[in-house]
Amino acid sequence: MKNTYQYLMIAAVSTLLLGCASFEFPSMFDKGTKEVPRYGKEAIHYQCDNYQSFGLKLSANGDEAWVMLPDHEIGLARDASDKQLYHYGTMDLRLNGEQTTLDDSDHLHLKNCKPAETKK
């Protein structure tokens, strides 16, 4: 009887230890909210101030830009007079290196957006 009890205790402890190996504690010291980019390999990921980000795909001739936000995508057309400006309705995208901006006069104001470094 005592021997059976010891085997059961060893099996229970082993099961608990194996279950703990796959458990991960959440990070309590992480500052801000970091979005996980899900834009695909062909898109350029831009990281902006305040941990905000967006994805960008340009057409082959550069006349259209697709802005990918976490909840939707928007197609923008290139401005005829300013080749670095793309717009659609109230949304404007100005490509300017590490000072790229994406602005929607209603609620979206992304500033100081830099292309994220690609991991190779």
Side-chain angles (χ1 to χ4, degrees), residues 38-39 57 66-75:
R38 298 183 179 152
Y39 311 123
K57 287 184 191 176
W66 282 93
V67 174
M68 292 162 280
L69 298 168
D71 55 347
H72 63 286
E73 295 183 7
I74 304 157

Side-chain angles (χ1 to χ4, degrees), residues 48-82:
C48 309
D49 287 350
N50 298 327
Y51 297 109
Q52 296 175 315
S53 65
F54 66 93
L56 178 67
K57 287 184 191 176
L58 295 174
S59 64
N61 60 3
D63 287 341
E64 294 179 341
W66 282 93
V67 174
M68 292 162 280
L69 298 168
D71 55 347
H72 63 286
E73 295 183 7
I74 304 157
L76 307 174
R78 182 186 267 179
D79 191 74
S81 59
D82 186 355

Side-chain angles (χ1 to χ4, degrees), residues 86-111:
Y86 293 83
H87 57 87
Y88 177 78
T90 61
M91 182 164 287
D92 291 326
L93 169 68
R94 179 167 299 280
L95 297 177
N96 189 16
E98 293 190 355
Q99 299 298 318
T100 296
T101 59
L102 180 63
D103 186 57
D104 180 359
S105 61
D106 293 337
H107 64 280
L108 183 68
H109 307 285
L110 302 180
K111 298 178 182 177

